[in-house]
Amino acid sequence: MADQCCAGKSGKTALNDPKWRRVLWIALLINAAMFAVEIAAGVAADSRALQADALDFLGDAANYAISLGVAGMALAWRARAALFKAATMLAFGLGVLGATIWGFMTGTTPHAETMGVIGFAALVANVVVALMLYRWRTGDANMRSVWICSRNDAIGNLAVLGAALGVFGTGRGWPDLVVAGIMAGLAIWGSLEVFRQARGELAAA
């Protein structure tokens, strides 16, 4: 039943749609490139928020690769792939949460200007990807997980820009750590959404 419902909008027919595959490939390349840029900048600027966002780009690139691999497979296999991606989202969220707690204990102050420039570039990249994926946001759990990742990334980038302003204005590192904590919460919340839908699709299959 779930398979039939998804097929009506963006499920079965979209799985082998060349446009869907092309968008995923573009999204994968954008995320891989932004990971390389942002992880280098995050380490240089000593920003937990940038490092967290960079790891998110890496995770998303892997998720897009998985989505390309299972496109066209039966609903049960797509749901299993979504469960795996949900687990990676959860692991990312917990990892960032741990790094944030450590940052509060050590009390470092990141470089606000670097955070702002790289955060804006990341926002542009994620908004482009989110807009490309928007039409497939109501598909099965596998498609939904891709959309949720992109949506969360765009929200996270806005928060990174806010953190850069906060660090610049206060001269302290706590805005960077607060945003890293928010990004961890988004990842955990998104993973629970995907877990819930994927389990329902597995039961239906």
Side-chain angles (χ1 to χ4, degrees), residues 45-77:
D46 197 23
S47 169
R48 298 294 193 286
L50 283 182
Q51 292 173 34
D53 201 39
L55 292 176
D56 200 21
F57 272 120
L58 179 63
D60 287 349
N63 284 341
Y64 298 141
I66 292 170
S67 293
L68 283 165
V70 300
M73 291 186 178
L75 177 64
W77 284 106

PDB file of all heavy atoms in Angstrom, residues 45-77:
ATOM      1  N   ALA A  45      39.793  27.497  11.616  1.00  0.00           N
ATOM      2  CA  ALA A  45      39.100  28.506  12.428  1.00  0.00           C
ATOM      3  C   ALA A  45      38.800  28.013  13.836  1.00  0.00           C
ATOM      4  O   ALA A  45      38.312  28.779  14.666  1.00  0.00           O
ATOM      5  CB  ALA A  45      37.793  28.911  11.743  1.00  0.00           C
ATOM      6  N   ASP A  46      39.076  26.728  14.115  1.00  0.00           N
ATOM      7  CA  ASP A  46      38.772  26.122  15.418  1.00  0.00           C
ATOM      8  C   ASP A  46      37.279  26.248  15.741  1.00  0.00           C
ATOM      9  O   ASP A  46      36.887  26.538  16.874  1.00  0.00           O
ATOM     10  CB  ASP A  46      39.607  26.770  16.528  1.00  0.00           C
ATOM     11  CG  ASP A  46      39.632  25.903  17.792  1.00  0.00           C
ATOM     12  OD1 ASP A  46      39.403  24.688  17.673  1.00  0.00           O
ATOM     13  OD2 ASP A  46      39.853  26.450  18.895  1.00  0.00           O
ATOM     14  N   SER A  47      36.441  26.015  14.707  1.00  0.00           N
ATOM     15  CA  SER A  47      34.988  26.134  14.873  1.00  0.00           C
ATOM     16  C   SER A  47      34.344  24.762  14.925  1.00  0.00           C
ATOM     17  O   SER A  47      34.401  24.001  13.956  1.00  0.00           O
ATOM     18  CB  SER A  47      34.396  26.945  13.721  1.00  0.00           C
ATOM     19  OG  SER A  47      32.982  26.853  13.722  1.00  0.00           O
ATOM     20  N   ARG A  48      33.697  24.445  16.060  1.00  0.00           N
ATOM     21  CA  ARG A  48      32.976  23.176  16.181  1.00  0.00           C
ATOM     22  C   ARG A  48      31.779  23.139  15.230  1.00  0.00           C
ATOM     23  O   ARG A  48      31.443  22.102  14.683  1.00  0.00           O
ATOM     24  CB  ARG A  48      32.494  22.962  17.615  1.00  0.00           C
ATOM     25  CG  ARG A  48      33.570  22.857  18.679  1.00  0.00           C
ATOM     26  CD  ARG A  48      34.420  21.609  18.505  1.00  0.00           C
ATOM     27  NE  ARG A  48      35.252  21.334  19.653  1.00  0.00           N
ATOM     28  CZ  ARG A  48      36.345  21.999  19.986  1.00  0.00           C
ATOM     29  NH1 ARG A  48      36.726  23.030  19.267  1.00  0.00           N
ATOM     30  NH2 ARG A  48      37.080  21.654  21.013  1.00  0.00           N
ATOM     31  N   ALA A  49      31.130  24.287  15.047  1.00  0.00           N
ATOM     32  CA  ALA A  49      29.959  24.334  14.173  1.00  0.00           C
ATOM     33  C   ALA A  49      30.347  24.039  12.725  1.00  0.00           C
ATOM     34  O   ALA A  49      29.655  23.296  12.031  1.00  0.00           O
ATOM     35  CB  ALA A  49      29.271  25.695  14.278  1.00  0.00           C
ATOM     36  N   LEU A  50      31.458  24.624  12.253  1.00  0.00           N
ATOM     37  CA  LEU A  50      31.908  24.352  10.889  1.00  0.00           C
ATOM     38  C   LEU A  50      32.342  22.907  10.730  1.00  0.00           C
ATOM     39  O   LEU A  50      32.046  22.267   9.710  1.00  0.00           O
ATOM     40  CB  LEU A  50      33.067  25.279  10.509  1.00  0.00           C
ATOM     41  CG  LEU A  50      32.728  26.728  10.144  1.00  0.00           C
ATOM     42  CD1 LEU A  50      33.993  27.478   9.751  1.00  0.00           C
ATOM     43  CD2 LEU A  50      31.700  26.798   9.029  1.00  0.00           C
ATOM     44  N   GLN A  51      33.036  22.370  11.719  1.00  0.00           N
ATOM     45  CA  GLN A  51      33.451  20.973  11.644  1.00  0.00           C
ATOM     46  C   GLN A  51      32.243  20.041  11.635  1.00  0.00           C
ATOM     47  O   GLN A  51      32.208  19.051  10.888  1.00  0.00           O
ATOM     48  CB  GLN A  51      34.368  20.647  12.819  1.00  0.00           C
ATOM     49  CG  GLN A  51      35.724  21.344  12.755  1.00  0.00           C
ATOM     50  CD  GLN A  51      36.539  21.141  14.012  1.00  0.00           C
ATOM     51  OE1 GLN A  51      36.473  20.092  14.653  1.00  0.00           O
ATOM     52  NE2 GLN A  51      37.314  22.149  14.389  1.00  0.00           N
ATOM     53  N   ALA A  52      31.235  20.367  12.433  1.00  0.00           N
ATOM     54  CA  ALA A  52      30.016  19.558  12.460  1.00  0.00           C
ATOM     55  C   ALA A  52      29.312  19.617  11.117  1.00  0.00           C
ATOM     56  O   ALA A  52      28.843  18.603  10.595  1.00  0.00           O
ATOM     57  CB  ALA A  52      29.082  20.053  13.563  1.00  0.00           C
ATOM     58  N   ASP A  53      29.256  20.812  10.528  1.00  0.00           N
ATOM     59  CA  ASP A  53      28.604  20.963   9.234  1.00  0.00           C
ATOM     60  C   ASP A  53      29.378  20.228   8.152  1.00  0.00           C
ATOM     61  O   ASP A  53      28.786  19.663   7.223  1.00  0.00           O
ATOM     62  CB  ASP A  53      28.469  22.451   8.896  1.00  0.00           C
ATOM     63  CG  ASP A  53      27.395  22.714   7.864  1.00  0.00           C
ATOM     64  OD1 ASP A  53      26.339  22.068   7.926  1.00  0.00           O
ATOM     65  OD2 ASP A  53      27.602  23.571   6.993  1.00  0.00           O
ATOM     66  N   ALA A  54      30.712  20.239   8.245  1.00  0.00           N
ATOM     67  CA  ALA A  54      31.536  19.520   7.269  1.00  0.00           C
ATOM     68  C   ALA A  54      31.257  18.014   7.339  1.00  0.00           C
ATOM     69  O   ALA A  54      31.113  17.349   6.297  1.00  0.00           O
ATOM     70  CB  ALA A  54      33.013  19.790   7.533  1.00  0.00           C
ATOM     71  N   LEU A  55      31.182  17.463   8.535  1.00  0.00           N
ATOM     72  CA  LEU A  55      30.871  16.046   8.681  1.00  0.00           C
ATOM     73  C   LEU A  55      29.483  15.735   8.144  1.00  0.00           C
ATOM     74  O   LEU A  55      29.240  14.656   7.592  1.00  0.00           O
ATOM     75  CB  LEU A  55      30.989  15.632  10.147  1.00  0.00           C
ATOM     76  CG  LEU A  55      32.404  15.645  10.726  1.00  0.00           C
ATOM     77  CD1 LEU A  55      32.366  15.311  12.213  1.00  0.00           C
ATOM     78  CD2 LEU A  55      33.296  14.657   9.987  1.00  0.00           C
ATOM     79  N   ASP A  56      28.573  16.697   8.289  1.00  0.00           N
ATOM     80  CA  ASP A  56      27.234  16.526   7.751  1.00  0.00           C
ATOM     81  C   ASP A  56      27.268  16.459   6.223  1.00  0.00           C
ATOM     82  O   ASP A  56      26.559  15.660   5.607  1.00  0.00           O
ATOM     83  CB  ASP A  56      26.340  17.679   8.217  1.00  0.00           C
ATOM     84  CG  ASP A  56      24.866  17.331   8.111  1.00  0.00           C
ATOM     85  OD1 ASP A  56      24.544  16.126   8.067  1.00  0.00           O
ATOM     86  OD2 ASP A  56      24.046  18.253   8.074  1.00  0.00           O
ATOM     87  N   PHE A  57      28.099  17.297   5.604  1.00  0.00           N
ATOM     88  CA  PHE A  57      28.265  17.239   4.148  1.00  0.00           C
ATOM     89  C   PHE A  57      28.784  15.864   3.720  1.00  0.00           C
ATOM     90  O   PHE A  57      28.337  15.296   2.721  1.00  0.00           O
ATOM     91  CB  PHE A  57      29.241  18.323   3.675  1.00  0.00           C
ATOM     92  CG  PHE A  57      28.598  19.644   3.374  1.00  0.00           C
ATOM     93  CD1 PHE A  57      28.975  20.784   4.071  1.00  0.00           C
ATOM     94  CD2 PHE A  57      27.639  19.762   2.384  1.00  0.00           C
ATOM     95  CE1 PHE A  57      28.389  22.022   3.786  1.00  0.00           C
ATOM     96  CE2 PHE A  57      27.053  20.987   2.089  1.00  0.00           C
ATOM     97  CZ  PHE A  57      27.424  22.117   2.795  1.00  0.00           C
ATOM     98  N   LEU A  58      29.749  15.329   4.475  1.00  0.00           N
ATOM     99  CA  LEU A  58      30.299  14.015   4.156  1.00  0.00           C
ATOM    100  C   LEU A  58      29.226  12.938   4.280  1.00  0.00           C
ATOM    101  O   LEU A  58      29.094  12.068   3.405  1.00  0.00           O
ATOM    102  CB  LEU A  58      31.474  13.699   5.081  1.00  0.00           C
ATOM    103  CG  LEU A  58      32.137  12.336   4.877  1.00  0.00           C
ATOM    104  CD1 LEU A  58      32.748  12.235   3.484  1.00  0.00           C
ATOM    105  CD2 LEU A  58      33.203  12.088   5.948  1.00  0.00           C
ATOM    106  N   GLY A  59      28.457  13.004   5.360  1.00  0.00           N
ATOM    107  CA  GLY A  59      27.391  12.026   5.553  1.00  0.00           C
ATOM    108  C   GLY A  59      26.340  12.109   4.458  1.00  0.00           C
ATOM    109  O   GLY A  59      25.841  11.075   3.980  1.00  0.00           O
ATOM    110  N   ASP A  60      26.013  13.325   4.041  1.00  0.00           N
ATOM    111  CA  ASP A  60      25.020  13.493   2.984  1.00  0.00           C
ATOM    112  C   ASP A  60      25.520  12.944   1.657  1.00  0.00           C
ATOM    113  O   ASP A  60      24.765  12.336   0.899  1.00  0.00           O
ATOM    114  CB  ASP A  60      24.654  14.969   2.831  1.00  0.00           C
ATOM    115  CG  ASP A  60      23.796  15.469   3.983  1.00  0.00           C
ATOM    116  OD1 ASP A  60      23.329  14.637   4.772  1.00  0.00           O
ATOM    117  OD2 ASP A  60      23.608  16.683   4.094  1.00  0.00           O
ATOM    118  N   ALA A  61      26.801  13.170   1.352  1.00  0.00           N
ATOM    119  CA  ALA A  61      27.364  12.630   0.114  1.00  0.00           C
ATOM    120  C   ALA A  61      27.252  11.109   0.104  1.00  0.00           C
ATOM    121  O   ALA A  61      26.884  10.500  -0.914  1.00  0.00           O
ATOM    122  CB  ALA A  61      28.827  13.056  -0.030  1.00  0.00           C
ATOM    123  N   ALA A  62      27.543  10.489   1.255  1.00  0.00           N
ATOM    124  CA  ALA A  62      27.403   9.033   1.355  1.00  0.00           C
ATOM    125  C   ALA A  62      25.941   8.612   1.206  1.00  0.00           C
ATOM    126  O   ALA A  62      25.625   7.598   0.565  1.00  0.00           O
ATOM    127  CB  ALA A  62      27.965   8.548   2.688  1.00  0.00           C
ATOM    128  N   ASN A  63      25.032   9.384   1.799  1.00  0.00           N
ATOM    129  CA  ASN A  63      23.608   9.063   1.695  1.00  0.00           C
ATOM    130  C   ASN A  63      23.105   9.153   0.263  1.00  0.00           C
ATOM    131  O   ASN A  63      22.296   8.329  -0.185  1.00  0.00           O
ATOM    132  CB  ASN A  63      22.795  10.010   2.589  1.00  0.00           C
ATOM    133  CG  ASN A  63      22.898   9.642   4.054  1.00  0.00           C
ATOM    134  OD1 ASN A  63      23.266   8.526   4.389  1.00  0.00           O
ATOM    135  ND2 ASN A  63      22.584  10.581   4.918  1.00  0.00           N
ATOM    136  N   TYR A  64      23.565  10.163  -0.484  1.00  0.00           N
ATOM    137  CA  TYR A  64      23.157  10.278  -1.881  1.00  0.00           C
ATOM    138  C   TYR A  64      23.683   9.094  -2.686  1.00  0.00           C
ATOM    139  O   TYR A  64      22.996   8.587  -3.579  1.00  0.00           O
ATOM    140  CB  TYR A  64      23.658  11.591  -2.479  1.00  0.00           C
ATOM    141  CG  TYR A  64      23.109  12.823  -1.806  1.00  0.00           C
ATOM    142  CD1 TYR A  64      23.908  13.940  -1.592  1.00  0.00           C
ATOM    143  CD2 TYR A  64      21.787  12.869  -1.372  1.00  0.00           C
ATOM    144  CE1 TYR A  64      23.393  15.079  -0.970  1.00  0.00           C
ATOM    145  CE2 TYR A  64      21.284  14.002  -0.742  1.00  0.00           C
ATOM    146  CZ  TYR A  64      22.091  15.099  -0.546  1.00  0.00           C
ATOM    147  OH  TYR A  64      21.594  16.216   0.075  1.00  0.00           O
ATOM    148  N   ALA A  65      24.901   8.660  -2.377  1.00  0.00           N
ATOM    149  CA  ALA A  65      25.462   7.503  -3.070  1.00  0.00           C
ATOM    150  C   ALA A  65      24.623   6.254  -2.798  1.00  0.00           C
ATOM    151  O   ALA A  65      24.356   5.454  -3.704  1.00  0.00           O
ATOM    152  CB  ALA A  65      26.908   7.284  -2.636  1.00  0.00           C
ATOM    153  N   ILE A  66      24.192   6.083  -1.539  1.00  0.00           N
ATOM    154  CA  ILE A  66      23.352   4.941  -1.193  1.00  0.00           C
ATOM    155  C   ILE A  66      22.018   5.017  -1.923  1.00  0.00           C
ATOM    156  O   ILE A  66      21.509   4.020  -2.450  1.00  0.00           O
ATOM    157  CB  ILE A  66      23.126   4.878   0.330  1.00  0.00           C
ATOM    158  CG1 ILE A  66      24.448   4.548   1.042  1.00  0.00           C
ATOM    159  CG2 ILE A  66      22.068   3.830   0.688  1.00  0.00           C
ATOM    160  CD1 ILE A  66      24.379   4.704   2.546  1.00  0.00           C
ATOM    161  N   SER A  67      21.428   6.210  -1.973  1.00  0.00           N
ATOM    162  CA  SER A  67      20.147   6.388  -2.661  1.00  0.00           C
ATOM    163  C   SER A  67      20.263   6.033  -4.137  1.00  0.00           C
ATOM    164  O   SER A  67      19.360   5.422  -4.712  1.00  0.00           O
ATOM    165  CB  SER A  67      19.661   7.828  -2.511  1.00  0.00           C
ATOM    166  OG  SER A  67      19.339   8.116  -1.167  1.00  0.00           O
ATOM    167  N   LEU A  68      21.374   6.399  -4.764  1.00  0.00           N
ATOM    168  CA  LEU A  68      21.596   6.033  -6.158  1.00  0.00           C
ATOM    169  C   LEU A  68      21.714   4.521  -6.310  1.00  0.00           C
ATOM    170  O   LEU A  68      21.238   3.948  -7.288  1.00  0.00           O
ATOM    171  CB  LEU A  68      22.870   6.710  -6.681  1.00  0.00           C
ATOM    172  CG  LEU A  68      22.741   8.194  -7.033  1.00  0.00           C
ATOM    173  CD1 LEU A  68      24.124   8.822  -7.183  1.00  0.00           C
ATOM    174  CD2 LEU A  68      21.943   8.370  -8.315  1.00  0.00           C
ATOM    175  N   GLY A  69      22.324   3.883  -5.315  1.00  0.00           N
ATOM    176  CA  GLY A  69      22.517   2.441  -5.381  1.00  0.00           C
ATOM    177  C   GLY A  69      21.229   1.645  -5.262  1.00  0.00           C
ATOM    178  O   GLY A  69      21.091   0.574  -5.866  1.00  0.00           O
ATOM    179  N   VAL A  70      20.256   2.141  -4.496  1.00  0.00           N
ATOM    180  CA  VAL A  70      19.021   1.372  -4.267  1.00  0.00           C
ATOM    181  C   VAL A  70      17.875   1.849  -5.143  1.00  0.00           C
ATOM    182  O   VAL A  70      16.783   1.279  -5.089  1.00  0.00           O
ATOM    183  CB  VAL A  70      18.585   1.432  -2.785  1.00  0.00           C
ATOM    184  CG1 VAL A  70      19.667   0.862  -1.884  1.00  0.00           C
ATOM    185  CG2 VAL A  70      18.224   2.860  -2.367  1.00  0.00           C
ATOM    186  N   ALA A  71      18.076   2.886  -5.941  1.00  0.00           N
ATOM    187  CA  ALA A  71      17.005   3.370  -6.817  1.00  0.00           C
ATOM    188  C   ALA A  71      16.554   2.256  -7.748  1.00  0.00           C
ATOM    189  O   ALA A  71      17.360   1.594  -8.386  1.00  0.00           O
ATOM    190  CB  ALA A  71      17.490   4.570  -7.623  1.00  0.00           C
ATOM    191  N   GLY A  72      15.246   2.018  -7.812  1.00  0.00           N
ATOM    192  CA  GLY A  72      14.702   0.972  -8.660  1.00  0.00           C
ATOM    193  C   GLY A  72      14.522  -0.355  -7.958  1.00  0.00           C
ATOM    194  O   GLY A  72      13.895  -1.262  -8.504  1.00  0.00           O
ATOM    195  N   MET A  73      15.077  -0.516  -6.757  1.00  0.00           N
ATOM    196  CA  MET A  73      14.903  -1.760  -6.008  1.00  0.00           C
ATOM    197  C   MET A  73      13.523  -1.797  -5.356  1.00  0.00           C
ATOM    198  O   MET A  73      12.788  -0.811  -5.338  1.00  0.00           O
ATOM    199  CB  MET A  73      15.992  -1.896  -4.940  1.00  0.00           C
ATOM    200  CG  MET A  73      17.382  -2.135  -5.489  1.00  0.00           C
ATOM    201  SD  MET A  73      18.573  -2.453  -4.151  1.00  0.00           S
ATOM    202  CE  MET A  73      20.056  -2.737  -5.102  1.00  0.00           C
ATOM    203  N   ALA A  74      13.177  -2.952  -4.799  1.00  0.00           N
ATOM    204  CA  ALA A  74      11.891  -3.124  -4.130  1.00  0.00           C
ATOM    205  C   ALA A  74      11.809  -2.210  -2.906  1.00  0.00           C
ATOM    206  O   ALA A  74      12.828  -1.780  -2.348  1.00  0.00           O
ATOM    207  CB  ALA A  74      11.710  -4.578  -3.705  1.00  0.00           C
ATOM    208  N   LEU A  75      10.566  -1.931  -2.485  1.00  0.00           N
ATOM    209  CA  LEU A  75      10.334  -1.028  -1.355  1.00  0.00           C
ATOM    210  C   LEU A  75      11.081  -1.485  -0.104  1.00  0.00           C
ATOM    211  O   LEU A  75      11.632  -0.660   0.625  1.00  0.00           O
ATOM    212  CB  LEU A  75       8.829  -0.944  -1.063  1.00  0.00           C
ATOM    213  CG  LEU A  75       8.425  -0.094   0.146  1.00  0.00           C
ATOM    214  CD1 LEU A  75       8.797   1.362  -0.085  1.00  0.00           C
ATOM    215  CD2 LEU A  75       6.929  -0.222   0.432  1.00  0.00           C
ATOM    216  N   ALA A  76      11.108  -2.794   0.160  1.00  0.00           N
ATOM    217  CA  ALA A  76      11.773  -3.290   1.368  1.00  0.00           C
ATOM    218  C   ALA A  76      13.250  -2.932   1.377  1.00  0.00           C
ATOM    219  O   ALA A  76      13.800  -2.544   2.412  1.00  0.00           O
ATOM    220  CB  ALA A  76      11.589  -4.808   1.481  1.00  0.00           C
ATOM    221  N   TRP A  77      13.917  -3.041   0.212  1.00  0.00           N
ATOM    222  CA  TRP A  77      15.335  -2.711   0.151  1.00  0.00           C
ATOM    223  C   TRP A  77      15.562  -1.219   0.299  1.00  0.00           C
ATOM    224  O   TRP A  77      16.520  -0.789   0.945  1.00  0.00           O
ATOM    225  CB  TRP A  77      15.935  -3.212  -1.171  1.00  0.00           C
ATOM    226  CG  TRP A  77      16.159  -4.684  -1.173  1.00  0.00           C
ATOM    227  CD1 TRP A  77      15.434  -5.634  -1.820  1.00  0.00           C
ATOM    228  CD2 TRP A  77      17.180  -5.387  -0.447  1.00  0.00           C
ATOM    229  NE1 TRP A  77      15.926  -6.891  -1.551  1.00  0.00           N
ATOM    230  CE2 TRP A  77      17.008  -6.767  -0.711  1.00  0.00           C
ATOM    231  CE3 TRP A  77      18.212  -4.984   0.402  1.00  0.00           C
ATOM    232  CZ2 TRP A  77      17.836  -7.737  -0.161  1.00  0.00           C
ATOM    233  CZ3 TRP A  77      19.039  -5.956   0.948  1.00  0.00           C
ATOM    234  CH2 TRP A  77      18.854  -7.315   0.670  1.00  0.00           C
TER     235      TRP A  77
END
